[in-house]
Amino acid sequence: MRKRATAKEVAEAAGVSKWTVIRAFTPGASITDASRQKVLQAAEALNYSPNLLARSLATNITHQVAVFVDDFANPHKLPVLEMLTERLQAEGLLTVLININRHFDHVHALINADQRQFDAVILFGTAFREETLGDRRLGQGLPPMFVLARDSQIPGVPAIACDTEVALNEIVEYLFDKGYRRPGFMTGARTLSTALGRRRHFANCWRQKGIEGVMELTAERYSAQAGAEAARAYLSDSPPGSRIDVLMCENDILALGAMDVARSEFGLRVPHDLAVVGFDNIELGGGPAYGLTSYEQPTEKMIDAIVGMITGERASETIAFPGSMIRRLSA
């Protein structure tokens, strides 16, 4: 295997100093066009590319962004990650995906991110909480953090999300106009769903319509199986005449699990016996097997905003964008 060319060898071939080679590959550095062209021609001849790791030691900028994810069962995550990584890479930033799980929690991940000198951390999951930052194992000077697609409950950590209040108001207006009056709401694990705010806004919107006491169903996880289990428990314990007439689920994957159980195990017709609404507008929910009414988050606007904050092109601040109601046959 051919030895990798060094900056010193490029400098000798171009007849310049090593520091001129470094400046030629540093955006915004002071260097004449003539010197840059000499360096680039020599680098091409030697098949040279700069050592980004070595450069990061001098600049404290690694051009790497960590993304923490803890709920891989949600199919909404994949298309968002695809769009996010594409945009970051277009800015010359490498994305490192960190799997938050029972063996590697947020504290360990933040310690690791600090040690690797990531330029930023994106929290794209469900379980991060403010008290995590108080862990004594965490030192000072953590990378800037951003919360994507949910509210931030952490002072100084901006959240870039869908406007939950606007979304739930539009959903409830739609359901009320359709004649539904016995609403229910299925959350994920209550300790994780609080930061989404959807349950609270859903109940408040119905209260403004004069309807109190939204029935609450709790799924243990954000998965189709958990949604099915929560729906099964509720329908088994509720006589047909006293059941809710519409079920709003915190996300689409819970809604699909609930629909499967309602139709296949209890013989309910959707939406005639039970209407179902989701949130995220995943591709599977839009197919003919489900026809799920849902709410689509403004993913492109959210990602443009968070990338702009990371690159310094816009101020780092909490911001919420309105999404779009997607009306289908399930409600």
Side-chain angles (χ1 to χ4, degrees), residues 161-242:
C162 177
D163 192 317
T164 305
E165 185 173 0
V166 169
L168 271 298
N169 184 67
E170 186 174 354
I171 291 169
V172 171
E173 285 288 343
Y174 170 75
L175 296 175
F176 189 83
D177 289 345
K178 296 277 282 187
Y180 299 109
R181 296 295 185 270
R182 302 190 308 278
F185 191 91
M186 182 185 292
T187 72
R190 289 294 296 271
T191 56
L192 306 183
S193 70
T194 303
L196 284 173
R198 295 171 191 169
R199 175 187 58 83
R200 183 179 71 256
H201 287 299
F202 187 74
N204 288 341
C205 289
W206 280 106
R207 192 173 298 116
Q208 293 170 13
K209 298 292 186 185
I211 297 176
E212 300 279 353
V214 172
M215 175 61 64
E216 293 186 13
L217 289 69
T218 301
E220 294 183 359
R221 304 168 305 283
Y222 288 105
S223 68
Q225 181 180 357
E229 291 170 352
R232 182 181 298 114
Y234 168 74
L235 293 172
S236 297
D237 293 340
S238 304
S242 65

Side-chain angles (χ1 to χ4, degrees), residues 58-106:
T59 63
N60 288 326
I61 299 174
T62 63
H63 298 283
Q64 296 183 91
V65 174
V67 179
F68 293 5
V69 180
D70 60 15
D71 56 340
F72 286 92
N74 185 354
H76 176 61
K77 287 289 184 286
L78 186 57
V80 177
L81 284 171
E82 180 182 18
M83 187 180 300
L84 175 62
T85 53
E86 181 180 4
R87 285 285 286 107
L88 288 170
Q89 286 170 195
E91 296 292 336
L93 301 171
L94 177 68
T95 308
V96 179
L97 180 64
I98 308 296
N99 182 354
I100 304 299
N101 53 58
R102 64 184 184 277
H103 303 298
F104 198 74
D105 62 18
H106 283 97

Side-chain angles (χ1 to χ4, degrees), residues 289-308:
Y290 294 102
L292 180 65
T293 293
S294 188
Y295 196 88
E296 185 170 82
Q297 299 196 55
T299 303
E300 187 170 350
K301 290 181 180 179
M302 289 156 53
I303 288 176
D304 284 345
I306 200 169
V307 172

Side-chain angles (χ1 to χ4, degrees), residues 6 24 26 32 48 51 94 125 140 147 153 158 160 195 231 243 271-272 287 305 317:
T6 66
T26 303
T32 66
Y48 167 81
N51 187 326
L94 177 68
Q140 301 297 316
V147 174
Q153 299 178 311
I160 298 86
R243 290 172 179 164
H272 306 289
E317 59 181 349

